[in-house]
Amino acid sequence: GKPTLIAVSLIFARGLLYSYRRQLQHLAQSLKGETLVGQIRLEHLRAYLSGFTHLKTSSLANRVRVVKVFFKWLHEEETLLRN
């Protein structure tokens, strides 16, 4: 039969988490030694995102969203004092 809404949601969530993890791993690799979250500065994030000029606007917006969501979560978890 047809998949349930819950089943489809779980599949979507797994794919989304995989995508976020992959993008955050790419960010970590680009930081080259700036591995402590508190060491990451806006300049690092701008440099990382500037490497995606070849992407469509929507794809670049997705990368920005992943970074924003990650740092917002770190702030909410009190891992970072400022977002």
Side-chain angles (χ1 to χ4, degrees):
K2 293 183 181 181
T4 65
L5 180 59
I6 292 174
V8 171
S9 296
L10 289 173
I11 291 168
F12 176 76
R14 260 189 252 134
L16 186 63
L17 289 174
Y18 173 78
S19 174
Y20 270 50
R21 181 177 57 223
R22 193 177 77 233
Q23 289 185 42
L24 291 172
Q25 286 171 338
H26 188 262
L27 170 61
Q29 290 171 352
S30 77
L31 293 173
K32 299 176 186 156
E34 301 291 338
T35 54
L36 296 177
V37 174
Q39 294 177 326
I40 301 170
R41 301 286 173 245
L42 187 56
E43 303 85 55
H44 297 117
L45 300 176
R46 284 185 178 142
Y48 167 69
L49 293 170
S50 71
F52 296 108
T53 56
H54 62 286
L55 295 179
K56 292 181 184 179
T57 303
S58 60
S59 296
L60 180 58
N62 183 50
R63 303 243 180 210
V64 171
R65 185 175 45 255
V66 168
V67 170
K68 283 183 170 184
V69 167
F70 178 63
F71 280 91
K72 180 180 179 197
W73 176 79
L74 289 172
H75 179 68
E76 288 172 355
E77 292 295 312
E78 298 180 356
T79 301
L80 288 179
L81 299 177
R82 300 181 337 181
N83 185 3

